[in-house]
Short mmCIF file of all heavy atoms in Angstrom, two decimals:
data_model
loop_
_atom_site.label_atom_id
_atom_site.label_comp_id
_atom_site.label_asym_id
_atom_site.label_seq_id
_atom_site.Cartn_x
_atom_site.Cartn_y
_atom_site.Cartn_z
N VAL A 1 199.64 161.25 69.64
CA VAL A 1 200.60 162.12 70.34
C VAL A 1 201.43 162.88 69.28
O VAL A 1 201.96 162.26 68.35
CB VAL A 1 201.50 161.30 71.26
CG1 VAL A 1 202.53 162.22 71.95
CG2 VAL A 1 200.71 160.55 72.31
N ASN A 2 201.55 164.18 69.47
CA ASN A 2 202.38 165.01 68.57
C ASN A 2 203.86 164.85 68.89
O ASN A 2 204.27 164.90 70.05
CB ASN A 2 201.96 166.48 68.72
CG ASN A 2 200.56 166.74 68.16
OD1 ASN A 2 200.41 166.86 66.95
ND2 ASN A 2 199.61 166.82 69.03
N LEU A 3 204.67 164.71 67.85
CA LEU A 3 206.11 164.68 67.99
C LEU A 3 206.67 166.00 67.39
O LEU A 3 206.32 166.37 66.28
CB LEU A 3 206.73 163.50 67.22
CG LEU A 3 206.63 162.13 67.88
CD1 LEU A 3 207.45 161.14 67.07
CD2 LEU A 3 207.10 162.15 69.32
N ALA A 4 207.51 166.67 68.17
CA ALA A 4 208.18 167.86 67.65
C ALA A 4 209.23 167.47 66.64
O ALA A 4 209.75 166.35 66.63
CB ALA A 4 208.79 168.66 68.78
N ALA A 5 209.57 168.40 65.74
CA ALA A 5 210.58 168.11 64.72
C ALA A 5 211.91 167.69 65.35
O ALA A 5 212.57 166.80 64.85
CB ALA A 5 210.78 169.31 63.82
N ARG A 6 212.27 168.34 66.48
CA ARG A 6 213.55 167.98 67.12
C ARG A 6 213.52 166.58 67.66
O ARG A 6 214.53 165.88 67.68
CB ARG A 6 213.86 168.99 68.24
CG ARG A 6 215.21 168.79 68.89
CD ARG A 6 215.56 169.89 69.87
NE ARG A 6 215.67 171.19 69.24
CZ ARG A 6 216.11 172.26 69.83
NH1 ARG A 6 216.45 172.23 71.11
NH2 ARG A 6 216.15 173.46 69.21
N GLN A 7 212.31 166.11 68.13
CA GLN A 7 212.24 164.73 68.59
C GLN A 7 212.38 163.76 67.45
O GLN A 7 213.08 162.74 67.55
CB GLN A 7 210.89 164.48 69.26
CG GLN A 7 210.72 165.15 70.63
CD GLN A 7 209.33 164.91 71.19
OE1 GLN A 7 208.39 165.54 70.79
NE2 GLN A 7 209.22 163.98 72.11
N ALA A 8 211.73 164.06 66.33
CA ALA A 8 211.76 163.15 65.17
C ALA A 8 213.12 163.09 64.51
O ALA A 8 213.43 162.11 63.83
CB ALA A 8 210.68 163.57 64.16
N ASP A 9 213.93 164.12 64.70
CA ASP A 9 215.23 164.16 64.02
C ASP A 9 216.28 163.28 64.66
O ASP A 9 217.38 163.12 64.11
CB ASP A 9 215.77 165.61 64.00
CG ASP A 9 215.04 166.44 62.96
OD1 ASP A 9 214.36 165.83 62.09
OD2 ASP A 9 215.13 167.69 63.02
N THR A 10 216.00 162.72 65.83
CA THR A 10 216.98 161.90 66.52
C THR A 10 216.55 160.44 66.57
O THR A 10 215.35 160.17 66.72
CB THR A 10 217.24 162.45 67.92
OG1 THR A 10 218.09 161.53 68.62
CG2 THR A 10 215.94 162.56 68.71
N SER A 11 217.50 159.55 66.44
CA SER A 11 217.17 158.15 66.43
C SER A 11 216.75 157.66 67.82
O SER A 11 216.16 156.59 68.01
CB SER A 11 218.37 157.30 65.95
OG SER A 11 219.50 157.51 66.81
N ALA A 12 217.07 158.45 68.86
CA ALA A 12 216.71 158.05 70.25
C ALA A 12 215.21 157.98 70.45
O ALA A 12 214.74 157.33 71.40
CB ALA A 12 217.33 159.05 71.24
N ILE A 13 214.44 158.62 69.56
CA ILE A 13 212.96 158.60 69.72
C ILE A 13 212.44 157.18 69.61
O ILE A 13 211.42 156.81 70.23
CB ILE A 13 212.31 159.53 68.68
CG1 ILE A 13 210.81 159.66 68.94
CG2 ILE A 13 212.55 159.04 67.28
CD1 ILE A 13 210.49 160.23 70.29
N VAL A 14 213.10 156.36 68.83
CA VAL A 14 212.65 154.96 68.66
C VAL A 14 212.75 154.23 69.97
O VAL A 14 211.80 153.55 70.42
CB VAL A 14 213.46 154.26 67.57
CG1 VAL A 14 212.97 152.78 67.41
CG2 VAL A 14 213.35 154.98 66.22
N ASP A 15 213.86 154.37 70.63
CA ASP A 15 214.02 153.70 71.94
C ASP A 15 213.07 154.28 72.96
O ASP A 15 212.54 153.58 73.81
CB ASP A 15 215.46 153.87 72.42
CG ASP A 15 216.47 153.17 71.52
OD1 ASP A 15 216.09 152.19 70.87
OD2 ASP A 15 217.64 153.65 71.45
N THR A 16 212.84 155.60 72.89
CA THR A 16 211.91 156.24 73.85
C THR A 16 210.52 155.71 73.69
O THR A 16 209.84 155.33 74.66
CB THR A 16 211.93 157.76 73.67
OG1 THR A 16 213.24 158.28 73.86
CG2 THR A 16 210.97 158.42 74.65
N VAL A 17 210.04 155.59 72.41
CA VAL A 17 208.70 155.06 72.14
C VAL A 17 208.60 153.61 72.57
O VAL A 17 207.61 153.16 73.21
CB VAL A 17 208.31 155.23 70.67
CG1 VAL A 17 207.01 154.52 70.32
CG2 VAL A 17 208.26 156.71 70.31
N ALA A 18 209.62 152.81 72.24
CA ALA A 18 209.60 151.37 72.60
C ALA A 18 209.53 151.22 74.11
O ALA A 18 208.80 150.37 74.62
CB ALA A 18 210.82 150.69 72.01
N ASP A 19 210.30 152.02 74.84
CA ASP A 19 210.30 151.92 76.27
C ASP A 19 208.96 152.34 76.86
O ASP A 19 208.50 151.74 77.82
CB ASP A 19 211.45 152.80 76.84
CG ASP A 19 211.55 152.69 78.35
OD1 ASP A 19 211.92 151.61 78.83
OD2 ASP A 19 211.24 153.67 79.03
N ALA A 20 208.36 153.43 76.29
CA ALA A 20 207.06 153.87 76.79
C ALA A 20 206.00 152.76 76.60
O ALA A 20 205.16 152.52 77.49
CB ALA A 20 206.62 155.12 76.06
N LEU A 21 206.05 152.09 75.45
CA LEU A 21 205.06 151.02 75.22
C LEU A 21 205.33 149.85 76.18
O LEU A 21 204.39 149.28 76.71
CB LEU A 21 205.18 150.57 73.77
CG LEU A 21 204.73 151.55 72.69
CD1 LEU A 21 205.03 151.04 71.30
CD2 LEU A 21 203.21 151.83 72.82
N ALA A 22 206.61 149.53 76.33
CA ALA A 22 206.95 148.37 77.18
C ALA A 22 206.62 148.63 78.63
O ALA A 22 206.11 147.75 79.36
CB ALA A 22 208.44 148.04 77.00
N SER A 23 206.93 149.84 79.09
CA SER A 23 206.70 150.14 80.51
C SER A 23 205.22 150.27 80.89
O SER A 23 204.82 150.03 82.03
CB SER A 23 207.43 151.43 80.91
OG SER A 23 206.92 152.52 80.16
N THR A 24 204.38 150.66 79.91
CA THR A 24 202.94 150.81 80.17
C THR A 24 202.12 149.62 79.74
O THR A 24 200.99 149.43 80.21
CB THR A 24 202.41 152.07 79.48
OG1 THR A 24 202.59 151.93 78.06
CG2 THR A 24 203.13 153.32 79.98
N GLY A 25 202.64 148.78 78.85
CA GLY A 25 201.91 147.64 78.34
C GLY A 25 200.91 147.98 77.28
O GLY A 25 200.04 147.19 76.94
N LEU A 26 200.99 149.18 76.73
CA LEU A 26 200.03 149.60 75.71
C LEU A 26 200.38 148.93 74.37
O LEU A 26 201.55 148.98 73.95
CB LEU A 26 200.06 151.14 75.53
CG LEU A 26 199.16 151.70 74.46
CD1 LEU A 26 197.69 151.58 74.87
CD2 LEU A 26 199.50 153.19 74.19
N PRO A 27 199.40 148.31 73.72
CA PRO A 27 199.68 147.72 72.39
C PRO A 27 200.10 148.83 71.42
O PRO A 27 199.56 149.92 71.42
CB PRO A 27 198.31 147.12 71.97
CG PRO A 27 197.62 146.86 73.28
CD PRO A 27 198.05 147.98 74.20
N ALA A 28 201.11 148.51 70.58
CA ALA A 28 201.68 149.50 69.68
C ALA A 28 200.65 150.05 68.73
O ALA A 28 200.68 151.23 68.35
CB ALA A 28 202.86 148.91 68.96
N GLU A 29 199.68 149.21 68.29
CA GLU A 29 198.74 149.69 67.29
C GLU A 29 197.75 150.73 67.87
O GLU A 29 197.02 151.34 67.10
CB GLU A 29 197.95 148.50 66.71
CG GLU A 29 197.08 147.78 67.71
CD GLU A 29 197.81 146.62 68.39
OE1 GLU A 29 199.06 146.63 68.33
OE2 GLU A 29 197.13 145.78 68.99
N LEU A 30 197.74 150.89 69.20
CA LEU A 30 196.87 151.88 69.81
C LEU A 30 197.57 153.23 70.03
O LEU A 30 197.02 154.13 70.67
CB LEU A 30 196.32 151.36 71.15
CG LEU A 30 195.45 150.10 71.06
CD1 LEU A 30 194.89 149.77 72.42
CD2 LEU A 30 194.30 150.30 70.05
N LEU A 31 198.79 153.38 69.51
CA LEU A 31 199.55 154.65 69.63
C LEU A 31 199.75 155.20 68.22
O LEU A 31 200.23 154.49 67.33
CB LEU A 31 200.89 154.39 70.31
CG LEU A 31 201.83 155.61 70.34
CD1 LEU A 31 201.21 156.75 71.16
CD2 LEU A 31 203.19 155.22 70.91
N GLN A 32 199.40 156.43 68.05
CA GLN A 32 199.63 157.16 66.80
C GLN A 32 200.52 158.35 67.09
O GLN A 32 200.26 159.12 68.00
CB GLN A 32 198.32 157.60 66.18
CG GLN A 32 198.52 158.42 64.89
CD GLN A 32 197.21 158.73 64.16
OE1 GLN A 32 196.70 157.88 63.38
NE2 GLN A 32 196.65 159.91 64.46
N LEU A 33 201.57 158.51 66.29
CA LEU A 33 202.49 159.63 66.41
C LEU A 33 202.23 160.60 65.26
O LEU A 33 202.26 160.20 64.09
CB LEU A 33 203.94 159.17 66.40
CG LEU A 33 204.33 158.17 67.49
CD1 LEU A 33 205.76 157.73 67.34
CD2 LEU A 33 204.11 158.75 68.88
N GLU A 34 202.02 161.90 65.62
CA GLU A 34 201.75 162.90 64.60
C GLU A 34 202.98 163.79 64.40
O GLU A 34 203.63 164.22 65.35
CB GLU A 34 200.59 163.83 65.06
CG GLU A 34 199.28 163.12 65.20
CD GLU A 34 198.14 164.08 65.53
OE1 GLU A 34 198.33 165.32 65.34
OE2 GLU A 34 197.08 163.67 65.96
N LEU A 35 203.36 163.97 63.15
CA LEU A 35 204.45 164.85 62.76
C LEU A 35 203.92 165.86 61.76
O LEU A 35 203.05 165.56 60.93
CB LEU A 35 205.63 164.07 62.11
CG LEU A 35 206.29 162.99 62.97
CD1 LEU A 35 205.66 161.63 62.73
CD2 LEU A 35 207.79 162.96 62.69
#
């Protein structure tokens, strides 16, 4: 998944990614973030 520069510049992205993984049950190693 591509991350925009504005997304990467804020610390809230960490909580957003963690919540997305937790809510879907996707293992973290199966998600790649592109910057």
Side-chain angles (χ1 to χ4, degrees):
V1 178
N2 290 280
L3 284 187
R6 186 174 296 189
Q7 288 178 281
D9 284 345
T10 173
S11 60
I13 187 61
V14 180
D15 296 332
T16 301
V17 172
D19 183 68
L21 293 173
S23 62
T24 61
L26 178 69
E29 64 270 16
L30 298 184
L31 174 64
Q32 177 173 275
L33 301 178
E34 296 185 16
L35 299 93

